[in-house]
RNA sequence: GGGCGCGUAGCUCAGUGGUAGAGCUCUCGCCUUACAAGCGAGCGGUCGCAGGUUCGAUACCUGUCGCGCCCA
């Protein structure tokens, strides 16, 4: 027994973080787990935070939620497989490296072996080779990840720190490439040249899941096309696409345009002949009801182009500027006025030209409308025809869609209603999953192409890397049968230039973390995993894509449970995020209130529910942690010990306490089994405060003694403390470990989760209730008399319903002590329990 | 426009077909030998609104208003 004189929370995180790093109570025992039945293993598909980002209080909350579950499962005796990952590949890292070092990747440059980044980023970005760029990405993420790990240890996450993965590691790259090859072999992945949503800033394709609609000002321009029977007016927000016009379209039922269907009109300025066609997607109420179809202004254009088999007249390039040369059949004269311009200035110029030619009817009519953006981008998306890799996700196939919806129903969602998010998304898909990105820091496609005599790639004869060679980098590795000298020369080969989108790797987090590629025996034992914890904003991306990959490869869902955390929001209910500037830095809060206090607050946020950040709440958690220290010290100072036996608990009030605690244990356990950590904490905490304020106060005088009644009190207090420390342990890992260490051996986090069976049966909780009610009445009398709780009571008369009289009698001695009551009488009465209190005269010179 | 969630005390949130709950805030009181970073007591709500089911609705149903999120 080693109880400090003055218990404190100060330094408790440093102390136990260091200790845990030493003894590692959270280590996953692979050998033992492999011999245990699967249900004795609990595996968690930890979300890998974006290494280039920053962690705020919202992250701390949601990772704490997962940690509570992990700690609970561990105390149940399971082998908890709880890895950590860092998502370090992809665009966010590229952007961070560009800004941090002031560089940019130019794949045409050769590798510079001795390259050192500038001390300070220069005014202009320094172009460096792809390999140098990737090296900087790796360096910087390693630094970022070390900082993340330190924070997570401070938060007390019971992660197995020997099992950390990175989405850019060789193993992750091999996994992503191998899975891609499997998808390709089964026809689930394919490449296609097609119109694609395109971010002109990052110069990459983006997927449907990365889109965001934003309100932007625009204007309807009323433009006349030249028909045989006079002008046909269309209204468009993008007049600059006029040279890309391939048809006009109206709704088939629109009577105004019936005569025009099947005929042709000529475009203004360019005088190109285009057909007038009918299609159900044309909206009669919008503008003049007839629209121009351009290749490509928006997704409707793509649909029309595809379904109506229209020609292609692309005018927007990868950089978002109007191409230098006009499409076939479009006269070069007026086009030259637009060539090389951005969409914005091309629009200004063409409006001038239309005014001059008299084809603009009236002034443009300003509107605001929804425009599609890349969620990380700042300029509206264009649609550019490019060759891209896709994975089928049901967006073009009802059977796959139905199968994926069915998979979603195999998952146990917490909370249940989050399933709708998943189903809505799957059912709303309108295309396959575009996984290729025209970027640098990512997993390359393990593919080369032979080059024909003209030096053009033969796309339909891809050279695939053999699985045993993975991971490969086709831009530096050479396919079998070729030599490096043949790279890029006619008759030689060329690498697929793209990398996979981040989600294409992180969708394999269960496989990466569980050793699909490196430890098949382990993988077989922890997959499908038990839990996917994540926030609701990435159900459409991370969660869905993980289901897709698992569905194809294993014909199974990747986990049995998906626990969805809400956001931490600011007082205006806006999501906390760094970009909004309303994010709270976690380390300050952790230092100010202590980790346990912050975790306590986190545990108060129910699964799926957003919760406002309020510092005042942290104080309450801190108070709880301090209370645990103090009551622990007190109970142990009374002589309670780890060897106290339940058999010693003979007093009815003590038995009542433990009976009540047994109910709490059952409720908390049921709540945690249902992933309702909030409820578990609530019932534990409510009991705890009653334990401190009522039970301890009632028995403390008796417990000071050395007779059988004292032994009963001490044993009950010891049992109650032990059970409560364990109930609190998942939420408050530091303070519970501290108090546990005063009198127990080993870590509380390896102690068995409490069960009602370890508490004596037969007690009547009503005794405690009746005693507490009586004590409250006495306290109220003292409070109203404005005297100290130590004030003596001459007589107290309890009027209780007849059946409660024995309950009060059972606690008589404790009540007399706690209330300082000289004469306590208990008489049967008619109404509810009341107490007449007569205070003793205060000695005049006391 | 479609989907989902939420409206209960000043704030944050529980809750149940049978007399409205907790914590925080606020007010009053108490130095009580575990804790004044504490303890005791008190103030505070026609449970968003309107119908319906029911002996009885804050809870169940319908509608409606407001807020939030997701998707068009």
């Amino acid at each position: 027994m080693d109880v400090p004189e003055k218990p404190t929370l100060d330094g408790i995180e440093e102390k136990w973080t260091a200790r845990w790093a030493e003894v590692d109570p959270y280590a996953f025992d692979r050998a033992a787990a492999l011999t245990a039945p699967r249900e004795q293993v609990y595996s968690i598909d930890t979300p890998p935070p974006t290494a280039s980002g920053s962690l705020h209080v919202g992250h701390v909350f949601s990772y704490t939620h997962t940690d509570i579950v992990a700690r609970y499962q561990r105390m149940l005796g399971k082998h908890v497989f709880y890895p950590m990952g860092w998502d370090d590949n992809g665009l966010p890292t590229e952007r961070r490296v560009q800004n941090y070092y002031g560089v940019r990747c130019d794949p045409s440059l050769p590798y510079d072996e001795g390259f050192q980044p500038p001390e300070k980023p220069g005014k202009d970005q320094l172009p460096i080779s792809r390999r140098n760029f990737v090296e900087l990405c790796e360096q910087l993420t390693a630094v970022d990840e070390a900082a993340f790990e330190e924070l997570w240890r401070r938060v007390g996450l019971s992660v197995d720190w020997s099992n950390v993965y990175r989405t850019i590691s060789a193993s992750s790259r091999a996994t992503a490439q191998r899975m891609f090859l499997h998808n390709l072999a089964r026809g689930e992945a394919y490449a296609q040249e097609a119109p694609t949503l395109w971010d002109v800033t990052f110069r990459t394709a983006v997927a449907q899941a990365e889109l965001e609609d934003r309100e932007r000002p625009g204007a309807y321009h009323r433009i006349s096309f030249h028909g045989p029977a006079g002008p046909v007016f269309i209204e468009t927000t993008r007049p600059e696409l006029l040279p890309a016009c391939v048809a006009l379209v109206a709704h088939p039922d629109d009577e105004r345009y019936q005569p025009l269907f099947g005929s042709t009109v000529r475009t203004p300025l360019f005088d190109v002949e285009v057909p007038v066609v009918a299609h159900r997607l044309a909206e009669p109420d919008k503008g003049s009801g007839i629209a121009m179809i351009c290749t490509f202004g928006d997704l409707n254009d793509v649909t029309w182009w595809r379904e109506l088999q229209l020609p292609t007249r692309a005018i927007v390039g990868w950089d978002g500027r109007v191409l230098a040369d006009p499409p076939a059949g479009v006269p070069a004269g007026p086009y030259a006025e637009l060539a090389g311009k951005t969409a914005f200035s091309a629009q200004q110029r063409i409006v001038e030209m239309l005014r001059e030619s008299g084809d603009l009817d009236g002034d443009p009519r300003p509107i605001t409308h929804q425009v599609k953006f890349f969620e990380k981008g700042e300029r509206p998306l264009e649609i550019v025809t490019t060759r891209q890799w896709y994975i089928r996700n049901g967006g073009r196939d009802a059977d796959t869609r139905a199968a994926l919806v069915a998979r979603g129903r195999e998952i146990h969602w917490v909370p249940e209603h989050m399933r709708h998010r998943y189903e809505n998304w799957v059912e709303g898909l309108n295309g396959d999953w575009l996984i290729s990105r025209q970027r640098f820091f990512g997993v390359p496609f393990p593919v080369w192409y032979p080059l024909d005599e003209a030096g053009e790639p033969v796309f339909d004869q891809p050279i695939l890397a053999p699985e045993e060679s993975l991971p490969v980098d086709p831009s530096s590795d050479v396919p079998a049968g070729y030599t490096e000298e043949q790279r890029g020369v006619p008759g030689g080969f060329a690498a697929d230039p793209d990398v996979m989108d981040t989600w294409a790797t992180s969708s394999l987090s269960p496989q990466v973390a569980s050793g699909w590629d490196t430890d098949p025996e382990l993988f077989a034992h922890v997959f499908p995993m038990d839990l996917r914890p994540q926030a609701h904003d990435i159900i459409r991306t991370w969660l869905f894509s993980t289901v897709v990959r698992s569905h194809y490869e294993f014909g199974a869902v990747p986990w049995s449970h998906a626990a969805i955390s809400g956001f931490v929001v600011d007082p205006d209910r806006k999501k906390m995020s760094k970009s909004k500037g309303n994010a709270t830095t976690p380390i300050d809060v952790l230092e100010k209130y202590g980790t346990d206090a912050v975790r306590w607050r986190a545990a108060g946020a129910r699964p799926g529910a957003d919760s406002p950040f309020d510092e005042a709440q942290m104080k309450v958690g801190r108070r709880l942690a301090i209370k645990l220290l103090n009551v622990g010290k007190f109970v142990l100072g009374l002589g309670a010990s780890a060897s106290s036996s339940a058999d010693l608990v003979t007093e009815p009030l003590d038995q009542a306490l433990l009976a009540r605690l047994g109910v709490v244990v059952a409720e908390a356990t049921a709540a945690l089994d249902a992933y309702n950590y909030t409820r578990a904490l609530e019932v534990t905490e409510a009991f705890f405060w009653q334990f401190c304020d009522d039970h301890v106060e009632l028995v403390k005088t008796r417990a000071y003694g050395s007779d059988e009644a004292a032994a009963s009190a001490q044993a009950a207090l010891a049992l109650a403390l032990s059970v409560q420390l364990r109930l609190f342990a998942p939420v408050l890992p530091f303070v519970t470990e501290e108090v546990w260490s005063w009198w127990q051996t080993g870590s509380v986090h390896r102690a068995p989760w409490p069960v009602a069976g370890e508490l004596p049966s037969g007690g009547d909780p009503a005794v405690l209730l009746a005693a507490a009610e009586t004590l409250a009445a006495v306290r109220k009398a003292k409070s109203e008399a404005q005297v100290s709780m130590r004030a003596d009571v001459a007589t107290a008369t309890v009027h209780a319903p007849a059946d409660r009289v024995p309950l009060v009698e059972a606690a008589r001695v404790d009540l007399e002590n706690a209330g300082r009551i000289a004469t306590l009488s208990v008489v049967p009465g008619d109404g509810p329990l009341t107490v007449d209190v007569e205070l003793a005269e205060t000695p005049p010179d006391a």
Side-chain angles (χ1 to χ4, degrees):
Chain A
M1 188 89 62
D2 183 20
V3 185
E5 189 53 39
K6 203 74 180 136
T8 175
L9 295 179
D10 295 343
I12 197 172
E13 289 91 355
E14 288 77 4
K15 172 181 173 183
W16 288 108
T17 301
R19 179 86 181 130
W20 293 333
E22 208 177 291
V23 302
D24 208 356
Y26 315 126
F28 175 71
D29 186 340
R30 178 182 176 280
L34 288 183
T35 57
R38 175 62 182 83
E39 60 270 20
Q40 282 302 306
V41 176
Y42 191 87
S43 51
I44 301 172
D45 183 19
T46 318
T50 304
S52 54
S54 59
L55 298 173
H56 54 65
V57 175
H59 294 104
V60 170
F61 274 35
S62 63
Y63 280 80
T64 296
H65 297 158
T66 307
D67 187 58
I68 291 168
V69 173
R71 288 177 180 277
Y72 167 64
Q73 295 289 338
R74 194 178 292 111
M75 291 176 77
L76 288 178
K78 295 186 189 174
H79 298 280
V80 174
F81 184 72
Y82 185 15
M84 182 54 65
W86 311 121
D87 192 11
D88 42 18
N89 90 45
L91 192 53
T93 295
E94 289 189 20
R95 289 209 296 185
R96 174 153 159 78
V97 165
Q98 284 174 358
N99 297 333
Y100 189 89
Y101 295 111
V103 297
R104 70 180 165 84
C105 179
D106 182 344
S108 69
L109 293 174
Y111 178 60
D112 176 355
E113 202 162 337
F115 174 77
Q116 289 294 327
E119 293 272 323
K120 277 186 172 176
K123 208 158 61 176
D124 297 315
Q125 289 185 335
L126 183 68
I128 60 175
S129 76
R130 174 174 172 154
R131 193 167 149 195
N132 286 119
F133 186 76
V134 167
E135 281 178 3
L136 289 183
C137 288
E138 304 229 355
Q139 281 172 28
L140 191 57
T141 51
V143 173
D144 289 339
E145 286 156 19
F148 278 27
E149 177 173 333
E150 199 188 329
L151 177 66
W152 281 157
R153 285 183 186 265
R154 169 78 194 227
V155 170
L157 299 188
S158 61
V159 158
D160 182 347
W161 289 107
S162 69
N163 186 4
V164 177
Y165 67 89
R166 310 174 64 190
T167 57
I168 197 62
S169 72
S171 160
S172 293
R173 297 198 310 271
T175 299
Q177 291 181 336
R178 188 187 311 279
M179 195 64 89
F180 168 77
L181 291 174
H182 288 197
N183 291 139
L184 191 60
R186 289 190 297 256
E188 295 143 7
Y190 63 92
Q192 191 181 45
E193 173 115 7
T196 307
L197 285 162
W198 186 268
D199 185 283
V200 300
T201 307
F202 296 110
R203 299 189 190 179
T204 182
V206 299
Q208 185 182 352
E210 299 169 297
L211 302 186
E212 199 169 276
D213 282 348
R214 298 185 197 160
E215 287 229 327
R216 282 292 179 275
Y220 271 129
H221 300 72
R222 189 170 156 90
I223 297 171
S224 64
F225 278 58
H226 307 158
V232 179
F233 289 98
I234 62 110
E235 294 193 21
T236 178
T237 55
R238 300 205 58 187
E240 70 277 17
L241 292 179
L242 190 57
C245 179
V246 292
L248 297 190
V249 64
H251 196 275
D253 300 336
D254 193 329
E255 302 207 343
R256 293 170 293 176
Y257 300 107
Q258 294 290 338
L260 283 174
F261 292 142
S263 71
T264 63
V265 295
R266 303 191 79 86
T267 61
L269 300 180
F270 300 94
D271 200 37
V272 173
E273 184 174 15
V274 296
V276 180
V277 297
H279 194 279
R280 65 191 190 295
L281 282 182
E283 293 178 56
D285 303 337
K286 207 166 158 184
S288 54
I290 187 164
M292 67 173 180
I293 303 176
C294 304
T295 53
F296 299 93
D298 62 21
L299 292 174
N300 266 347
D301 283 342
V302 178
T303 305
W304 284 322
W305 167 79
R306 187 177 286 133
E307 293 188 8
L308 301 170
Q309 303 191 332
L310 298 165
T312 308
R313 292 190 186 116
I315 65 158
V316 178
W318 287 22
D319 54 1
R321 289 173 184 272
V322 177
L323 293 169
D325 297 317
V330 175
Y335 185 88
E337 302 265 348
L338 308 175
K341 284 185 161 37
T342 61
F344 179 80
S345 35
Q347 181 174 115
Q348 289 189 315
R349 180 68 193 118
I350 206 158
V351 167
E352 289 169 11
M353 292 161 71
L354 287 166
R355 271 194 215 284
E356 285 162 20
S357 69
D359 290 305
L360 184 69
D361 184 44
D363 283 323
R365 186 159 53 85
I367 54 158
T368 55
H369 58 156
Q370 301 281 338
V371 181
K372 287 198 187 310
F373 281 74
F374 175 35
E375 60 188 354
K376 297 184 168 66
E378 275 144 31
R379 293 166 69 187
L381 292 172
E382 292 290 348
I383 295 174
V384 175
T385 298
T386 48
R387 188 186 153 75
Q388 303 286 347
W389 288 103
Y390 296 83
I391 289 179
R392 298 181 200 281
N393 65 358
R396 295 171 62 183
D397 165 29
D399 288 347
T400 305
R401 197 156 55 230
L404 289 168
V405 168
R407 288 287 176 223
R409 292 187 180 155
E410 292 175 39
I411 298 168
H412 184 103
W413 295 77
V414 183
E416 232 292 320
H417 66 80
M418 287 295 172
R419 175 198 316 280
H420 296 288
R421 296 276 190 101
Y422 174 90
E423 293 189 0
N424 278 356
W425 175 253
V426 177
E427 281 158 2
L429 287 168
N430 54 30
D432 282 334
W433 176 20
L434 197 167
I435 57 165
S436 44
R437 296 292 181 274
Q438 289 63 55
R439 301 298 306 180
F440 317 108
F441 191 57
V443 179
F445 288 85
V447 177
W448 300 266
Y449 306 98
L451 297 178
D452 62 17
E453 299 77 33
E456 290 298 317
V458 185
F459 287 122
D460 55 7
Q461 291 171 27
I463 306 164
L464 305 178
E467 283 201 31
E468 58 277 12
S469 70
L470 303 178
V472 299
D473 179 359
S475 70
S476 56
D477 296 322
V478 177
Y482 289 91
T483 63
E484 180 61 32
E485 289 65 42
Q486 291 174 279
R487 185 184 295 276
V489 300
F493 72 96
D496 187 297
D498 292 349
V499 297
M500 298 180 199
D501 174 47
T502 307
W503 297 115
T505 311
S506 57
S507 63
L508 301 171
S509 59
Q511 289 87 327
V512 169
S514 310
W516 179 64
D517 197 55
T518 54
D519 189 348
E521 204 185 349
L522 175 68
F523 182 74
H525 219 63
V526 301
F527 184 92
M529 302 181 86
D530 292 273
L531 179 66
R532 156 60 70 86
Q534 62 163 81
H536 52 70
D537 55 336
I538 50 175
I539 289 174
R540 64 179 184 168
T541 48
W542 191 38
L543 192 148
F544 172 60
S545 61
T546 310
V547 171
V548 170
R549 306 308 287 278
S550 180
H551 168 70
Y552 283 138
E553 186 71 23
F554 309 107
V557 287
W559 350 263
S560 54
H561 293 74
I564 310 297
S565 287
F567 294 139
V568 172
V569 294
D570 69 13
D572 296 330
R573 299 260 161 192
K574 296 287 174 223
K575 180 191 173 186
M576 190 175 275
S577 75
K578 194 185 173 190
S579 54
K580 287 204 187 77
N582 63 353
T584 305
T585 310
I587 194 67
D588 297 345
V589 182
L590 289 167
E591 277 174 5
K592 190 164 172 191
Y593 299 99
T595 295
D596 283 337
V598 177
R599 289 178 59 109
W600 173 86
R601 177 65 192 92
R606 311 184 95 78
D610 291 349
S611 101
F613 180 77
D614 175 10
E615 266 199 48
Q617 296 290 321
M618 307 290 167
K619 292 183 194 158
V620 183
R622 183 169 178 86
R623 210 168 63 116
L624 172 65
I626 292 171
K627 194 78 174 175
L628 270 162
L629 287 178
N630 284 319
V631 81
K633 177 195 162 193
F634 180 63
V635 163
L636 297 176
L638 287 170
S641 79
S643 55
S644 297
S645 163
D647 297 339
L648 298 174
V649 182
T650 50
E651 291 292 313
L653 186 68
D654 299 332
Q655 292 173 336
L657 176 83
L658 298 181
R660 177 78 196 100
L661 181 54
V663 175
V664 168
V665 167
E667 286 179 359
T669 304
L672 281 165
D673 281 338
Y675 293 83
N676 192 347
Y677 44 80
T678 306
R679 171 79 187 149
L681 174 61
E682 212 169 79
V683 296
T684 303
E685 208 182 338
F687 177 87
F688 176 70
W689 286 107
Q690 204 202 358
F691 169 75
C692 291
D693 295 341
D694 291 343
H695 185 81
V696 170
E697 291 300 329
L698 280 164
V699 305
K700 63 165 48 159
T701 307
R702 171 159 58 89
Y704 281 129
S706 52
D707 55 359
E708 199 179 299
S712 172
Q714 292 162 11
L717 289 171
L719 267 173
L721 180 65
S722 164
V723 167
Q724 289 179 96
L725 286 174
R726 284 177 283 152
L727 289 175
F728 278 124
V731 177
L732 311 173
F734 291 99
V735 73
T736 53
E737 186 78 318
E738 172 71 16
V739 176
W740 190 259
S741 74
W742 296 341
W743 61 310
Q744 304 275 356
T745 54
S747 169
V748 70
H749 303 299
R750 281 289 190 180
W753 183 253
V755 292
E758 65 188 271
L759 298 165
S761 59
D764 181 2
V767 174
L768 179 57
L769 265 179
E773 236 175 286
T774 306
L775 181 60
V778 173
R779 283 167 168 168
K780 180 167 176 169
K782 293 181 180 179
S783 210
E784 282 173 352
Q786 304 205 336
V787 298
S788 159
M789 289 299 134
R790 281 180 72 196
D792 288 330
V793 172
T795 62
T797 309
V798 180
H799 304 270
D803 58 333
R804 298 191 77 189
V805 168
L807 303 176
V808 180
E809 285 292 357
R812 161 177 291 277
V813 176
D814 292 332
L815 280 168
E816 287 167 353
N817 285 327
R820 300 177 74 95
I821 302 165
T823 308
L824 174 68
S825 359
V826 187
V827 299
D830 291 334
L833 188 148
T834 57
V835 185
D836 293 334
V837 177
E838 195 179 321
L839 294 171
E841 292 293 325
T842 313
D845 55 353

